[in-house]
Amino acid sequence: MKRAIRPAVLIALAYVLIGAGWILFSDMALEHMVSDPQLAATLQTIKGWLYVGLTGLLLFFLLVKALTYIEQLNQRDSLTGLLRPYLFTRYLEDSLDACQKNQQHLMLVCLDIDGFKEANRLLGYAGGDTLLRQLAVALKHHYHADDLIARLGTDQFALAKVLTEPQDDIESHAVELNQLFSAVVREFDLTLSCSVGLAKFPRDARNGQELLFAAQSALKEAKRSGQGMIRQFNQALSETERERQALLKDLRHTIDNDKLSLVYQPQFSVDDGGLTGCEVLVRWNCPQRGFVGPDVFIPLAERNNLISGITAFVVRQANKELSGAGLLGTSIHRVSVNISAQEFNSEKLMAALMRMLNQSPQLYPYLQLEITETAALSDLAASVRLLTRLREQGLKFSIDDFGTGYSSLAMLKNLPIDEIKIDKDFIHDLLDQPRVRAIVEAVTTMAHSLDISVVAEGVETQAQLEQIRFCGCHEVQGYLTARPMNIDHLKEFVRSQWSTSAVNLSHHET
Ligand code: C2E
Ligand code: CA
Ligand code: CA
């Protein structure tokens, strides 16, 4: 504000001085030149109007200049001087109208810096800003004044260019842009890359909004494929993305309204067929879509930060259903709940999970958390610390899908765990592949000596059961002994088991 006062005071002062000078000198000149009082009065009036007219004109030009400047300030990005999204889309629509009239084609490129956070960390915020500014300068320098260049987000830029040749290979423009970007970051001694999404008018869209959506979808696809990638818009991919978004919306609604449900799959002792515990599995029966498998919606939830909502539901509901059915501590002594890698590796999500577990006091003493090998391996030392701490708080841990990772034996050696679950694929290959049998046998023997229990998962046939018995596995879970079932069926199942005391593991047909 203070910076604005000085020029304003100067302009007002100049106005007063010019005005006073004008009045003083023009009156004196008039007095000198005109002796007829009548004519003098008329000239005075004209002089007054002239003054009003001239100052009005001056005021008009000053205002136009100031307002244009303010408008530009709002529409140009203050850091880079590039167009802001609003003005960019307006100009883009104008360009597309012109393209339509002249039957020209236009290319829209969206560029996003990969891992810009890291650049900010290395260069500091001021350095990061300089990098963005330099990139903007390079873009302005490289492209024509008619090309539209905008900054769409912190580290995201867009470029719209009318193509001289309709068949122009737009990917070559993206490669050029990539090289330009590399040249800029090289000056900062960085090895950053950027992802590029491309769309073409009229091939991919009918208007500016659609074209921008198309280029952004292509950019998302490029990001998904890795770093430094270039992708063109693809109609089929975009429909998949739309479907994914719709599924995500339904899933979010289902979680928010507690509309998921649970099934329980019993586990049995290989020795005596007694019920040892159960695994809780989540189900989504969507009224519109029908049954959606956890293999579909769990990864979707993980990618979109919804997984802790699902785990919270699973723990709460399992606590309610199992204790309500009177099964905890009577027939069921261990309840396994799946924890996703994303949760296990996040301090914040694990703290939220612990709060949730503490609110489920009936279930807590029987809980066993299943984590995958890859989750525990991402930082083995941190996993050892976390598992040790949580086991001190009475929790048990199982390694799910054991054998699918690369360092299974290192895990056995280092991790304080209670159980491993041999992956279904191993069980499946047990009969035909002697090497698999040798591995399962060796792992079981080693686990045994470390006091770690071994569960064979996905056992479907009596022959597989015989093999796992032969390998020394302690427990079995699979369609052969029991399929996953809802709480009412589980109650019924347990009651019928009660009369026979255990499943008869030796008399099942293959
Ligand atoms: P998982 O933890 O390995 O779960 C075992 C899967 O094997 C379950 O599939 C179960 O129904 C299936 N299964 C059990 N016995 C047999 C058998 O004899 N043969 C065959 N072919 N399959 C068998 P489901 O319920 O479809 O779950 C798939 C995956 O989804 C789970 O694999 C787990 O990774 C994830 N998942 C399920 N529920 C939850 C949950 O509550 N939270 C999290 N984070 N993940 C879950
Ligand atoms: Ca599991
Ligand atoms: Ca598993």
Side-chain angles (χ1 to χ4, degrees):
M1 192 65 194
K2 272 184 190 152
R3 276 165 63 187
I5 288 175
R6 204 176 128 83
V9 167
L10 287 177
I11 290 173
L13 212 63
Y15 174 79
V16 169
L17 285 176
I18 293 170
W22 168 261
I23 291 167
L24 217 65
F25 292 113
S26 63
D27 281 359
M28 271 163 62
L30 210 60
E31 235 171 72
H32 251 291
M33 289 190 300
V34 184
S35 50
D36 179 3
Q38 188 87 41
L39 183 62
T42 311
L43 286 174
Q44 269 293 359
T45 313
I46 292 172
K47 188 166 69 78
W49 280 115
L50 200 66
Y51 184 77
V52 170
L54 279 175
T55 48
L57 213 60
L58 185 71
L59 194 65
F60 171 76
F61 282 118
L62 278 175
L63 277 175
V64 167
K65 205 166 150 48
L67 291 176
T68 311
Y69 182 63
I70 290 172
E71 197 176 306
Q72 266 188 355
L73 274 188
N74 283 333
Q75 290 164 348
R76 296 251 161 206
D77 173 52
S78 57
L79 180 71
T80 58
L82 298 178
L83 295 173
R84 283 196 171 180
Y86 174 68
L87 196 63
F88 177 69
T89 37
R90 257 178 49 191
Y91 288 174
L92 183 63
E93 295 288 1
D94 293 346
S95 295
L96 294 185
D97 285 346
C99 282
Q100 209 138 29
K101 266 192 212 119
N102 307 327
Q103 302 216 317
Q104 284 174 307
H105 294 235
L106 181 142
M107 159 191 86
L108 181 63
V109 190
C110 284
L111 175 154
D112 190 289
I113 304 178
D114 301 322
F116 182 64
K117 265 193 202 145
E118 184 60 13
N120 259 340
R121 196 182 64 76
L122 293 170
L123 303 171
Y125 283 109
D129 282 356
T130 314
L131 173 75
L132 295 173
R133 243 191 322 256
Q134 290 288 88
L135 181 60
V137 170
L139 288 171
K140 278 192 266 190
H141 196 252
H142 188 78
Y143 290 96
H144 195 259
D146 286 347
D147 301 332
L148 304 175
I149 312 175
R151 183 176 176 215
L152 297 184
T154 314
D155 55 350
Q156 202 179 101
F157 297 83
L159 165 80
K161 185 178 177 58
V162 176
L163 298 170
T164 39
E165 287 294 320
Q167 305 310 334
D168 221 356
D169 170 23
I170 58 174
E171 288 221 13
S172 64
H173 289 278
V175 173
E176 205 175 274
L177 198 63
N178 231 329
Q179 286 165 350
L180 186 114
F181 176 80
S182 303
V184 172
V185 294
R186 226 174 293 130
E187 285 173 32
F188 291 80
D189 271 342
L190 293 176
T191 47
L192 278 185
S193 62
C194 68
S195 305
V196 178
L198 292 163
K200 199 170 167 183
F201 175 85
R203 187 191 66 184
D204 300 330
R206 287 163 303 180
N207 55 41
Q209 237 182 1
E210 280 184 16
L211 191 65
L212 201 56
F213 173 81
Q216 296 273 5
S217 309
L219 178 64
K220 259 193 212 160
E221 198 46 44
K223 286 250 161 207
R224 247 198 296 273
S225 316
Q227 298 204 331
M229 294 295 187
I230 298 171
R231 287 285 178 272
Q232 286 208 42
F233 176 68
N234 174 330
Q235 192 65 41
L237 271 182
S238 140
E239 258 144 43
T240 317
E241 178 59 28
R242 247 189 276 267
E243 170 54 23
R244 212 194 331 257
Q245 291 302 329
L247 188 68
L248 180 62
K249 192 168 154 231
D250 286 354
L251 177 61
R252 201 169 262 139
H253 185 260
T254 306
I255 297 172
D256 288 348
N257 292 287
D258 277 356
K259 287 284 179 351
L260 292 168
S261 57
L262 299 183
V263 288
Y264 305 84
Q265 188 174 28
Q267 298 163 330
F268 302 91
S269 155
V270 172
D271 283 344
D272 59 13
L275 186 63
T276 50
C278 67
E279 175 174 7
V280 189
L281 296 160
V282 68
R283 291 288 175 263
W284 180 15
N285 262 313
C286 179
Q288 291 84 31
R289 298 170 183 274
F291 178 81
V292 185
D295 289 339
V296 174
F297 71 84
I298 294 284
L300 184 71
E302 284 179 331
R303 279 199 302 275
N304 293 281
N305 292 327
L306 297 177
I307 194 68
S308 57
I310 294 186
T311 309
F313 169 82
V314 171
V315 169
R316 218 172 36 234
Q317 191 71 3
N319 184 60
K320 194 162 108 190
E321 290 185 354
L322 289 169
S323 60
L327 296 173
L328 288 173
T330 51
S331 345
I332 293 181
H333 297 276
R334 196 187 58 220
V335 179
S336 297
V337 166
N338 291 287
I339 301 297
S340 90
Q342 198 196 34
E343 276 175 300
F344 186 72
N345 289 311
S346 152
E347 234 172 80
K348 200 171 124 218
L349 294 185
M350 280 311 276
L353 173 67
M354 288 313 291
R355 279 197 296 279
M356 179 55 61
L357 297 185
N358 283 317
Q359 286 163 22
S360 306
Q362 293 97 324
L363 181 64
Y364 197 122
Y366 307 103
L367 254 182
Q368 176 157 279
L369 302 183
E370 289 194 4
I371 53 173
T372 58
E373 264 182 53
T374 26
L377 275 179
S378 85
D379 182 348
L380 192 60
S383 296
V384 171
R385 283 196 299 275
L386 181 64
L387 290 178
T388 309
R389 186 161 59 79
L390 295 182
R391 283 178 95 224
E392 278 164 9
Q393 295 178 34
L395 284 172
K396 290 182 283 294
F397 282 90
S398 170
I399 301 294
D400 206 355
D401 307 337
F402 188 83
T404 53
Y406 292 104
S407 316
S408 309
L409 291 182
M411 309 200 52
L412 270 190
K413 188 169 118 263
N414 294 307
L415 283 180
I417 47 170
D418 303 275
E419 175 190 280
I420 55 173
K421 291 181 88 170
I422 309 249
D423 189 58
K424 299 199 258 306
D425 286 352
F426 279 83
I427 306 302
H428 185 259
D429 296 338
L430 213 53
L431 292 172
D432 325 322
Q433 298 187 21
R435 276 168 164 265
V436 170
R437 205 170 48 215
I439 294 172
V440 173
E441 207 180 330
V443 164
T444 307
T445 311
M446 205 175 325
H448 212 175
S449 67
L450 294 166
D451 215 14
I452 296 170
S453 174
V454 180
V455 178
E457 184 176 45
V459 177
E460 293 180 349
T461 65
Q462 187 69 27
Q464 286 170 345
L465 177 67
E466 292 315 322
Q467 284 300 323
I468 66 152
R469 198 197 300 275
F470 175 79
C471 289
C473 286
H474 312 123
E475 290 177 47
V476 55
Q477 174 184 348
Y479 294 167
L480 174 71
T481 42
R483 289 198 169 238
M485 55 190 92
N486 68 23
I487 189 69
D488 294 334
H489 286 133
L490 182 70
K491 231 167 123 178
E492 195 52 41
F493 182 86
V494 167
R495 194 175 312 133
S496 66
Q497 293 298 299
W498 194 248
S499 50
T500 55
S501 89
V503 285
N504 190 342
L505 291 183
S506 55
H507 290 106
H508 278 278
E509 296 294 323
T510 54

